[in-house]
Amino acid sequence: MLIRLLPGTRLLARVQAVLPLHLILSLPNQLLAHVPITEISGVLTDRLTKGEKDDEDMEVDANAEEDDAEDEDAPELSQLYQPGQYVSGIVTQNFPSESSNKSFLGMYTPTEQTRLASRIEMSLRPEKVNEGVMKADVTTGFRLTGTLKSEEDHGWSVDLGVKDIEGFVKKDEVAGKTIHAGQVLDFVVSSATGRLAQLTLDETQNKRTLGPEVYTNVSSILPGHLISCLITAIVPAGLNVKISGFFDGTIDITHLGIGEKDIEKEFKLGKRVSGRIDELEAQSADHLSTFSRID
């Protein structure tokens, strides 16, 4: 059976390979996708564009200054991502066949990996992945991605792609880390006041922080969110659950971690379980497709 992901589907994906101009992502259901370097962030794209223009306009200048951070070359994808790393993305385009995406396939020596990844194009831009997130939901403990915009005196400004709110991460949060303007990172909100959200990169919080008990809108639920849900049905394929009392979801039996055990003995109606969002269906107002149970 051919499994297709609609444009607009948001996913938690794993980086399988880093190519010069693309990421190859491993998706649920054994699918592959590609992310163009121009779909990482707007800031990175601007830096790449500026670098190309500078190369075109370059003149021999013995007095040229090279110590201005703004004039540094844009980072390569291999400086930003490593195989095995998890990222949040959104499907932007489907191609009808494995040979139809000629612009992507023509850049690399043909392999089984590039052939399979050519069918689905994705974006990691926070303004696309976080589209629809409500400012009211961006509170302490909320997890989302953001783009490092610029270095300030006491930290970095962060573009969250959420209307009417900006992010800021303090310098001590990034101390010892190699980071670049245009890089997209996972953040947890440590506090939010007015138009400013203070952010943390603490990996423990990123992995274990529960999302809000109640969300304003289903669009505020993002890939990677750890949420609590109520079991509403036990079926042979897994569990049907309810999130925030309004939104429906499913947990596939392969994600329950019960092996050959009887699902009806392991889970009971009305009980709560925690799960990590893996996939959010496109064009759905009230259904979260799949997520993985976490004890």
Side-chain angles (χ1 to χ4, degrees), residues 5-237:
L5 293 174
L6 293 173
T9 300
R10 295 184 287 182
L11 300 159
L12 188 65
R14 182 174 57 83
V15 176
Q16 187 174 94
V18 182
L19 305 180
L21 296 175
H22 294 82
L23 298 177
I24 302 296
L25 302 184
S26 175
L27 312 181
N29 299 310
Q30 299 182 323
L31 297 174
L32 295 182
H34 65 280
V35 180
I37 194 171
T38 53
E39 286 298 322
I40 304 297
S41 74
V43 175
L44 180 60
T45 300
D46 289 344
R47 292 189 68 186
L48 292 167
T49 303
K50 180 181 183 299
E52 291 175 357
K53 184 177 185 302
D54 287 347
D55 288 342
E56 293 173 358
D57 297 341
M58 185 177 295
E59 298 289 343
V60 176
D61 184 358
N63 297 318
E65 296 291 337
E66 297 181 356
D67 57 354
D68 187 346
E70 293 299 321
D71 291 334
E72 291 180 358
D73 291 337
E76 297 181 0
L77 283 179
S78 58
Q79 295 176 270
L80 305 179
Y81 296 98
Q82 300 81 40
Q85 179 179 347
Y86 280 87
V87 295
S88 297
I90 185 168
V91 176
T92 54
Q93 191 170 358
N94 269 311
F95 293 87
S97 70
E98 291 170 351
S99 62
S100 60
N101 190 353
K102 296 179 181 178
S103 63
F104 168 68
L105 292 171
M107 293 184 181
Y108 306 103
T109 302
T111 64
E112 182 74 359
Q113 183 184 67
T114 56
R115 182 179 66 82
L116 295 175
S118 69
R119 293 289 299 272
I120 302 172
E121 184 173 298
M122 293 183 63
S123 174
L124 305 187
R125 288 180 176 241
E127 67 267 25
K128 294 183 179 181
V129 177
N130 300 338
E131 183 178 6
V133 171
M134 306 298 290
K135 178 184 175 183
D137 289 322
V138 184
T139 57
T140 302
F142 192 84
R143 180 186 185 276
L144 75 172
T145 60
T147 303
L148 293 174
K149 288 174 59 178
S150 60
E151 187 173 6
E152 313 293 343
D153 289 341
H154 303 290
W156 283 76
S157 61
V158 180
D159 183 2
L160 301 175
V162 179
K163 186 178 180 181
D164 296 330
I165 192 165
E166 291 288 328
F168 187 82
V169 58
K170 295 180 180 178
K171 280 191 174 180
D172 58 1
E173 288 280 349
V174 297
K177 296 180 173 66
T178 301
I179 57 176
H180 305 271
Q183 189 169 359
V184 175
L185 299 172
D186 289 322
F187 296 98
V188 170
V189 177
S190 55
S191 66
T193 305
R195 296 175 61 89
L196 183 66
Q198 295 285 346
L199 308 172
T200 178
L201 282 168
D202 188 285
E203 293 184 4
T204 301
Q205 290 195 49
N206 270 328
K207 291 178 180 178
R208 300 301 305 177
T209 300
L210 273 170
E213 187 67 26
V214 178
Y215 288 84
T216 303
N217 188 291
V218 69
S219 296
S220 291
I221 305 176
L222 299 174
H225 274 196
L226 177 61
I227 60 175
S228 177
C229 50
L230 187 72
I231 299 174
T232 57
I234 301 171
V235 296

Side-chain angles (χ1 to χ4, degrees), residues 5 9-12 28-29 277-281 288-290:
L5 293 174
T9 300
R10 295 184 287 182
L11 300 159
L12 188 65
N29 299 310
I277 298 291
D278 286 338
E279 178 183 335
L280 296 126
E281 290 182 347
L288 309 179
S289 178
T290 61

Side-chain angles (χ1 to χ4, degrees), residues 226-284:
L226 177 61
I227 60 175
S228 177
C229 50
L230 187 72
I231 299 174
T232 57
I234 301 171
V235 296
L239 302 177
N240 294 340
V241 296
K242 187 77 73 175
I243 301 99
S244 294
F246 298 101
F247 313 125
D248 295 320
T250 56
I251 306 180
D252 191 276
I253 194 168
T254 58
H255 291 166
L256 292 176
I258 60 173
E260 300 297 321
K261 296 179 182 178
D262 187 340
I263 187 173
E264 293 191 355
K265 291 182 179 179
E266 295 298 316
F267 298 97
K268 301 297 180 184
L269 289 178
K271 297 294 185 181
R272 301 193 74 85
V273 293
S274 296
R276 179 85 63 192
I277 298 291
D278 286 338
E279 178 183 335
L280 296 126
E281 290 182 347
Q283 301 172 357
S284 174

